[in-house]
């Protein structure tokens, strides 16, 4: 199908499946592997678009379900989309809205037509999100990358339902492609389903490759499955998906997950974790998270992270942020700014290490900094990295 | 630190409003705070909602810092930081004015004694003695601080209680002036509550001491802004002209103007923060020879009529919010309970409030202040409440 992006691989790791790419989207370039912060309601938790741009963020996520409710499709059409509404001149990605419905609304029911759910307005009437409706909404929002509506099942579900969801997701992809009004300016990504079943995943990929979408997402994971199964599904997908298209793994944001998945060949990630955890006073660092609410930081006069050039680290000590953390909005904004800076720097460091041919040693150092001693390394990460020729324990 | 002075550039008579300059040094550079002006309100040493990068794009010169906000731990953990309070708060270019208590919400608390005052923190009540306060100030090195005062928080105090308050406050001022390092400037707090003769005594006695300026704290008075101003007037008559006067509790624009008529130089700027928390965006303007009736003082961005209003808060405003965002977006952020709402509102409200003071100074300089301010006050709904003529002899001006 039509594509509104170009995608060029700039460097490949000679040991693992990691790669650095340049993705050119309608609102500018995106260097991959990329972490996309989540601005659910058309704003990233207290951060201005200017601040986000200064942090070097090239693409942000908005949630279709939330924007559909507020400010609503009509208003978004009127103002010419979410970029204009929030004054964000760089790239946006929207989800289909389906996942949010299934996870936020208890009584959602999935039929061949779409996702049926109780109206959040009156809790009485039922509403229906179809692939066509999701496309229409996402076309009005106008994000640079949009996602197909997929049939979401929990990754813990087994049996017939997983197979049904996989085949239905393929049928819904076809309906999304048909309903997509703006293929010249918005890139529709397919979402690979099939649960934890290797054969179903293979079948899904086979079918979806035939649809030739501009990019692919690995769906149906991060739902509480064993991490050792999670990485095996990810690596299966990156093996089978076309090498000339970006691959997006949804809902990934922890440091170790980002490093491992990049080694497995994933290019794009999103997660609410860095911004959500900031609201509870947690600042991310290469040595793990610091809970700045804790009194042990009350007389700690170093910055959150020594070499970080974010506003929080350039301006304040941990002691001062401790005073503000979880008590004033400024404390929250400062930690959010730092955490976004941390995530973007981590991705920059991953890319740099791949380009300079030292990705394996970078991965080892990252684990050493993060977990301290080898006994604390998660087994799944050791196994996953071993599959791409990095021995964390050597 | 040296080079602290207050110069009056213009003073009017019989009305008492003034144009001045508070000169101070920061980072070995001479800086000027033009008056009338305000000390920008802070919570725990930050302007509410604004990170330093967002504060930097607003032309702020001076901030008011409250010790009470740091007193959960005693002594405050910040007193262990050896670089001074400006550096600790990342406010090295600004004039910092300290006081003990939060000027915007003087919570009723347990009593003061001859030895200490009681303050409120998130973790309950704390006691501060003069010795402690001055010790903290000697470590912090602010540009100016208000001496500790015995504020009365109970209603209808007796004359005896008020006398005691005046005496204590004067004794504490004497102790403060003895113990403070050279280079930190002390403003004396003028008290006397609602007792005429005690206000006079407090003003005269404070004026007799070696203070750099005066603070009139109206927040201990449980009265209307008008009555507050009337009580302040009694004190103001007995203060020397050549020193700056700070007033708390006159934040709304019409009361700022009335305060300036009485010779107030600096106001506490909690008003923009309070308006921000209500979802209000300030729109009042001191118009040059304009007819000001029916002026909208603020817009309430919670109002559904802004849902599809794609204009900035205020046309022509140069603040970050107005240059980049629409009323509809801020409405959306408020309704969606998103924190960016208060960031944008605060950016605008503070910028606008400072612009209002700039317009006031320009107007005093152009000899149009009396006329412009009277128009503004008349158009405010306080006109009936206030008998302006006897006090403001603007015809002779
Ligand atoms: Zn930082
Ligand atoms: Zn503005």
């Amino acid at each position: 199908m039509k594509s509104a992006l170009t995608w060029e691989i700039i460097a490949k790791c000679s040991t693992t499946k990691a790669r650095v790419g340049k993705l050119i989207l309608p609102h500018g370039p995106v260097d991959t592997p990329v972490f996309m912060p989540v601005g659910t309601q058309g704003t990233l938790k207290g951060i201005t678009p200017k601040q986000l741009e200064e942090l070097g963020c090239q693409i942000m996520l908005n949630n279709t379900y939330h924007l559909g409710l507020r400010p609503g499709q009509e208003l978004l059409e009127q103002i010419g989309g979410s970029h204009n509404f929030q004054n964000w001149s760089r790239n946006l990605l929207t989800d289909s809205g389906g996942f949010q419905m299934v996870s936020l609304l208890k009584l959602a029911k999935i039929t061949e037509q779409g996702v049926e759910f109780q109206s959040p307005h009156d809790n009485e009437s039922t509403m229906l999100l179809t692939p066509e409706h999701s496309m229409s909404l996402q076309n009005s929002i106008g994000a640079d990358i949009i996602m197909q509506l997929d049939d979401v099942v929990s990754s813990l579900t087994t049996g017939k339902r997983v197979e049904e969801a996989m085949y239905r997701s393929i049928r819904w992809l076809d309906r999304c492609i048909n309903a997509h009004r703006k293929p010249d300016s918005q890139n529709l990504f397919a979402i690979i389903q099939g649960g934890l079943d290797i054969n179903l995943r293979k079948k899904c990929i086979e079918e979806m490759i035939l649809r030739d979408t501009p990019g692919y997402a690995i769906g149906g994971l991060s739902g509480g499955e064993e991490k050792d199964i999670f990485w095996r599904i990810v690596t299966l997908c990156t093996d089978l998906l076309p090498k000339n298209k970006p691959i997006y793994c949804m809902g990934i944001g922890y440091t170790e997950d980002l490093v491992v998945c990049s080694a497995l060949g994933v290019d794009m990630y999103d997660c609410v974790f860095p911004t959500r955890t900031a609201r509870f006073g947690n600042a991310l660092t290469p040595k793990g998270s610091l809970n700045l609410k804790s009194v042990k930081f009350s007389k700690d006069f170093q910055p959150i992270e020594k070499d970080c050039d974010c506003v929080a680290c350039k301006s304040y000590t941990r002691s001062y942020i401790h005073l503000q953390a979880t008590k004033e909005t400024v404390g929250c904004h400062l930690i959010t700014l730092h955490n976004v800076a941390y995530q973007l720097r981590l991705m920059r460091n991953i890319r740099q290490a791949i380009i300079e041919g030292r990705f394996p040693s970078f991965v080892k150092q990252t684990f050493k900094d993060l977990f301290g001693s080898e006994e604390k390394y998660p087994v799944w990460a050791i196994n996953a990295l071993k599959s791409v020729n990095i021995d964390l324990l050597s | 630190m040296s080079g602290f002075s207050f110069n009056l550039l213009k003073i009017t008579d019989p009305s008492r409003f003034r144009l001045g300059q508070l000169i101070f040094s920061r980072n070995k550079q001479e800086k000027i705070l033009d008056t009338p002006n305000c000390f920008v309100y802070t919570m725990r040493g930050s302007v509410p909602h604004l990170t330093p990068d967002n504060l930097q794009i607003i032309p702020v010169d001076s901030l008011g810092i409250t010790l009470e906000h740091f007193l959960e731990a005693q002594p405050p953990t910040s007193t262990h930081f050896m670089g001074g309070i400006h550096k600790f708060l990342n406010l090295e270019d600004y004039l910092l004015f300290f006081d003990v208590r939060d000027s915007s919400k003087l919570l009723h608390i347990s009593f003061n004694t001859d030895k200490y005052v009681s303050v409120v923190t998130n973790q309950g009540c704390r006691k501060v003695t003069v010795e402690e306060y001055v010790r903290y100030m000697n470590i912090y090195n602010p540009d100016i601080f208000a001496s500790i005062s015995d504020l009365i928080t109970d209603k209808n105090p007796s004359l005896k209680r008020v006398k005691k308050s005046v005496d204590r406050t004067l004794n504490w001022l004497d102790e403060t002036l003895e113990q403070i390092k050279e280079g930190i400037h002390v403003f004396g707090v003028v008290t006397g509550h609602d007792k005429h003769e005690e206000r006079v005594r407090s003003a005269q006695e404070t004026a007799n001491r070696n203070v750099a300026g005066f603070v009139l704290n109206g927040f201990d008075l449980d009265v209307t802004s008008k009555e507050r101003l009337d009580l302040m007037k009694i004190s103001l008559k007995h203060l020397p002209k050549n020193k700056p006067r700070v007033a708390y509790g006159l934040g709304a624009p019409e009361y700022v103007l009335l305060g300036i008529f009485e010779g107030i130089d600096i106001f506490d700027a909690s008003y923009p923060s309070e308006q921000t928390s209500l979802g209000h965006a300030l729109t009042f303007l001191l118009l040059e020879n304009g007819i000001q009736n029916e002026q909208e003082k603020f817009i309430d961005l919670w109002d559904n009529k802004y849902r599809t209003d794609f204009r900035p808060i205020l046309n022509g405003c140069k603040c970050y919010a107005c240059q980049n965002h629409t009323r509809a977006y801020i409405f959306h952020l408020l309704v969606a309970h998103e924190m960016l709402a208060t960031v944008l509102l605060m950016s605008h409200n503070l910028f606008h409030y400072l612009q209002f003071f700039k317009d006031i100074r320009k107007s005093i300089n152009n000899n149009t202040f009396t006329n412009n301010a009277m128009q503004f006050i008349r158009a405010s709904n306080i006109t009936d409440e206030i008998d302006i003529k006897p006090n403001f002899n603007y015809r002779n001006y």
Side-chain angles (χ1 to χ4, degrees):
Chain A
M1 71 173 294
K2 229 174 201 170
S3 164
L5 61 79
T6 64
W7 160 248
E8 189 195 344
I9 292 176
I10 289 171
K12 278 184 184 169
C13 173
S14 56
T15 308
T16 68
K17 296 196 278 173
R19 54 202 194 166
V20 173
K22 192 108 191 160
L23 181 61
I24 309 287
L25 290 166
H27 287 84
V30 175
D31 297 302
T32 65
V34 63
F35 175 80
M36 304 180 283
V38 182
T40 296
Q41 311 200 79
T43 163
L44 187 78
K45 298 301 160 202
I47 304 304
T48 66
K50 180 168 171 267
Q51 287 177 308
L52 198 53
E53 214 174 292
E54 280 162 5
L55 286 169
C57 176
Q58 297 169 314
I59 181 166
M60 165 171 54
L61 214 104
N62 281 175
N63 289 116
T64 297
Y65 169 76
H66 290 90
L67 291 183
L69 278 181
R70 264 193 313 243
Q73 183 166 17
E74 197 187 328
L75 185 139
L76 285 162
E77 275 291 330
Q78 215 180 327
I79 199 170
S82 192
H83 289 92
N84 287 347
F85 186 54
Q86 64 190 299
N87 194 29
W88 171 245
S89 59
R90 296 190 178 174
N91 296 294
L92 285 175
L93 181 150
T94 45
D95 63 347
S96 66
F99 177 74
Q100 304 271 335
M101 273 176 206
V102 174
S103 57
L104 293 178
L105 305 166
K106 285 192 194 92
L107 295 163
K109 198 174 103 197
I110 297 165
T111 66
E112 187 58 26
Q113 251 193 305
V115 183
E116 210 174 88
F117 59 97
Q118 274 191 332
S119 162
H121 295 293
D122 58 14
N123 279 323
E124 274 172 30
S125 53
T126 56
M127 292 168 79
L128 185 67
L129 180 77
T130 63
E132 292 75 19
H133 186 214
S134 172
M135 281 300 108
S136 165
L137 259 174
Q138 293 192 74
N139 284 152
S140 297
I141 296 169
D144 303 86
I145 296 175
I146 61 179
M147 306 304 296
Q148 76 156 106
L149 183 69
D150 55 345
D151 183 357
V152 182
V153 286
S154 156
S155 46
L156 302 175
T157 308
T158 51
K160 272 279 171 231
R161 177 71 186 99
V162 182
E163 187 175 351
E164 179 193 48
M166 186 275 281
Y167 281 108
R168 182 172 287 146
S169 292
I170 299 169
R171 292 192 294 274
W172 283 4
L173 174 59
D174 288 332
R175 284 168 60 187
C176 284
I177 292 170
N178 281 332
H180 185 12
R181 280 185 285 126
K182 298 176 179 171
D184 294 324
S185 58
Q186 293 185 280
N187 296 285
L188 174 63
F189 278 30
I191 302 176
I192 308 298
Q193 287 292 348
L196 308 178
D197 184 318
I198 287 172
N199 288 323
L200 291 180
R201 288 277 173 181
K202 278 184 180 164
K203 182 68 191 165
C204 189
I205 290 169
E206 212 172 275
E207 285 293 327
M208 285 185 171
I209 288 175
L210 296 175
R211 273 70 176 179
D212 191 32
T213 53
Y216 293 93
I218 305 171
L221 294 176
S222 307
E225 72 280 357
E226 290 284 331
K227 274 286 183 83
D228 236 332
I229 298 173
F230 159 82
W231 76 260
R232 284 171 216 276
I233 298 294
V234 170
T235 208
L236 174 84
C237 292
T238 57
D239 278 340
L240 299 178
L241 283 166
K243 297 283 173 278
N244 60 342
K245 302 251 170 123
I247 300 172
Y248 165 27
C249 196
M250 302 162 88
I252 297 296
Y254 295 141
T255 299
E256 62 272 29
D257 295 8
L258 293 166
V259 169
V260 170
C261 289
S262 295
L264 300 177
V266 176
D267 307 296
M268 302 167 66
Y269 311 92
D270 80 281
C271 192
V272 293
F273 162 71
T275 41
R276 179 169 293 166
T277 202
R279 291 207 291 290
F280 301 107
N282 298 313
L284 305 175
T285 80
K287 294 194 170 160
S289 165
L290 307 176
N291 186 341
L292 291 169
K293 277 187 311 183
S294 159
V295 279
K296 75 176 180 202
F297 297 110
S298 67
K299 290 177 199 167
D300 186 339
F301 298 121
Q302 339 163 46
I304 297 173
E305 197 184 328
K306 202 170 82 238
D307 299 317
C308 180
D309 60 357
C310 83
V311 171
C313 293
K314 273 191 309 189
S315 311
Y316 297 118
T317 60
R318 293 171 179 182
S319 165
Y320 182 70
I321 297 171
H322 165 76
L323 279 177
Q324 287 269 335
T326 70
K327 298 197 181 88
E328 305 299 332
T329 59
V330 168
C332 177
H333 302 334
L334 288 170
I335 302 173
T336 303
L337 282 170
H338 170 79
N339 285 358
V340 173
Y342 170 84
Q343 295 289 110
L344 298 179
R345 181 167 50 250
L346 172 66
M347 302 318 289
R348 208 156 45 233
N349 291 342
I350 289 174
R351 295 193 298 267
Q352 204 57 35
I354 298 167
I355 289 170
E356 291 169 8
R358 50 177 181 80
F359 184 62
S361 63
F362 170 84
V363 172
K364 286 184 183 179
Q365 189 62 47
T366 304
F367 272 78
K368 203 172 158 193
D369 290 343
L370 194 58
F371 294 101
S373 61
E374 287 181 358
E375 309 88 74
K376 290 182 187 153
Y377 290 7
V379 173
W380 72 270
I382 296 171
N383 294 340
L385 288 166
K386 200 178 274 168
S387 80
V388 285
N389 314 310
I390 294 179
D391 185 357
L392 271 186
L393 303 178
S394 77
Chain B
M1 201 164 37
S2 61
F4 182 93
S5 64
F6 182 65
N7 301 337
L8 275 174
L9 304 177
K10 190 167 191 168
I11 180 158
T12 55
D13 200 49
S15 287
R16 292 165 284 272
F17 59 91
R18 319 116 64 86
L19 196 64
Q21 287 187 326
L22 191 65
I23 298 171
F24 61 103
S25 356
R26 285 268 89 235
N27 291 330
K28 299 188 176 94
Q29 277 191 330
E30 189 171 87
K31 293 217 160 204
I32 295 170
L33 178 72
D34 292 307
T35 63
N37 214 320
C38 59
F39 292 143
V40 172
Y41 178 74
T42 59
M43 272 306 293
R44 296 168 185 267
S46 282
V47 176
H49 316 298
L50 300 183
T51 51
D53 47 342
N54 285 335
L55 179 64
Q56 230 163 42
I57 50 183
I58 301 172
V60 172
D61 295 313
S62 59
L63 301 106
I65 315 287
T66 304
L67 181 69
E68 193 169 40
H69 298 160
F70 298 96
L71 276 176
E72 276 152 16
Q74 210 169 356
T77 51
S78 43
T79 57
H80 298 275
F81 181 77
M82 282 306 139
I85 199 68
H86 289 83
K87 191 164 184 196
F88 185 71
L89 301 177
N90 186 44
L91 295 170
E92 289 176 275
D93 291 332
Y94 301 92
L95 179 145
L96 298 188
F97 174 87
F98 248 88
D99 202 341
V100 184
R101 304 218 51 200
D102 187 330
S103 60
S104 82
K105 39 174 188 259
L106 192 65
L107 300 172
H108 179 79
I109 41 164
S110 58
F111 53 89
N112 301 331
T113 70
D114 288 344
K115 286 267 164 265
Y116 61 80
V117 296
S118 300
V119 304
V120 179
T121 74
N122 269 12
Q123 288 164 18
C125 192
R126 298 282 187 276
K127 295 164 181 160
V128 192
T129 65
V130 192
E131 291 81 4
E132 284 167 332
Y133 183 46
V134 177
R135 178 150 38 90
Y136 303 155
M137 291 304 111
N138 280 335
I139 295 168
Y140 283 162
N141 248 318
D143 300 283
I144 312 170
F145 72 95
S147 62
I148 204 161
S149 63
D150 180 22
L151 292 176
I152 299 171
T153 49
D154 35 60
K155 287 182 182 177
N156 305 317
S158 64
L159 179 62
K160 196 177 151 212
R161 173 70 186 94
V162 175
K163 274 189 169 157
K164 194 189 245 173
S165 150
V166 171
D167 288 336
R168 270 181 191 162
T169 304
L170 289 167
N171 288 340
W172 291 343
L173 176 59
D174 289 333
E175 278 184 61
T176 301
L177 290 168
E178 257 168 49
Q179 293 166 24
I180 195 70
K181 283 197 308 200
E182 209 174 310
I184 307 175
H185 303 277
V186 181
F187 280 20
V189 181
V190 177
T191 54
H193 209 261
D194 57 353
K195 306 289 184 278
H196 193 294
E197 59 276 32
E198 284 304 301
R199 290 203 77 90
V200 173
R201 182 167 75 93
S202 176
Q204 286 173 338
E205 287 295 323
T206 310
N208 282 340
R209 283 151 170 89
N210 183 24
V211 293
F214 303 95
V215 174
L216 291 106
N217 191 337
F219 275 106
D220 59 342
L221 299 164
D222 187 24
V223 296
T224 64
S225 292
K226 183 213 174 313
E227 291 165 320
R228 190 173 285 160
L229 185 66
D230 285 340
L231 288 166
M232 285 183 181
K233 274 194 245 174
I234 301 166
S235 315
L236 282 162
K237 273 187 210 143
H238 300 278
L239 297 179
K241 284 183 179 169
N242 61 349
K243 289 181 179 175
R245 299 93 172 255
V246 180
Y248 300 159
L250 301 173
E254 53 273 23
Y255 287 104
V256 166
L257 296 173
L258 288 167
I260 288 170
F261 271 126
E262 291 305 325
I264 301 292
D265 302 298
I266 300 167
F267 297 79
D268 79 281
S270 49
Y271 186 74
S273 307
E274 287 159 14
Q275 295 297 308
T276 296
S277 60
L278 296 171
H280 294 173
L282 305 179
T283 52
F284 54 80
L285 294 167
L286 184 71
L287 297 174
E288 199 62 39
N289 300 315
I291 307 299
Q292 307 227 13
N293 46 356
E294 305 293 311
Q295 181 178 184
E296 256 192 320
K297 290 226 169 61
F298 62 83
I299 60 174
D300 177 0
L301 283 163
W302 279 101
D303 192 324
N304 205 47
K305 72 180 173 194
Y306 298 114
R307 205 181 77 83
T308 54
D309 188 337
F310 299 124
R311 293 175 296 171
I313 293 169
L314 186 62
N315 247 326
C317 177
K318 296 276 183 284
C319 85
Y320 173 78
C322 292
Q323 295 285 307
N324 290 280
H325 296 287
T326 60
R327 295 171 175 189
Y329 185 54
I330 299 172
F331 169 86
H332 164 73
L333 295 171
L334 282 172
V335 172
H337 301 288
E338 282 286 353
M339 289 185 288
L340 188 59
T342 48
V343 172
L344 296 179
L345 282 171
M346 192 66 202
S347 295
H348 169 80
N349 286 343
L350 183 54
F351 187 98
H352 188 79
Y353 200 64
L354 294 169
Q355 183 62 44
F356 180 64
F357 279 95
K358 210 168 162 185
D359 291 343
I360 289 170
R361 293 192 299 270
K362 195 169 137 206
S363 180
I364 296 176
N365 200 37
N366 294 343
N367 299 329
T368 54
F369 178 69
T370 308
N371 191 30
N372 298 344
M374 292 312 297
Q375 298 252 29
F376 191 104
I377 293 160
R378 278 212 197 91
S380 308
N381 46 15
I382 54 163
T383 328
D384 304 335
E385 192 192 322
I386 292 228
D387 182 15
I388 31 187
K389 280 196 191 107
N391 295 323
F392 310 123
N393 201 346
Y394 58 96
R395 280 174 207 284
N396 296 339
Y397 170 67

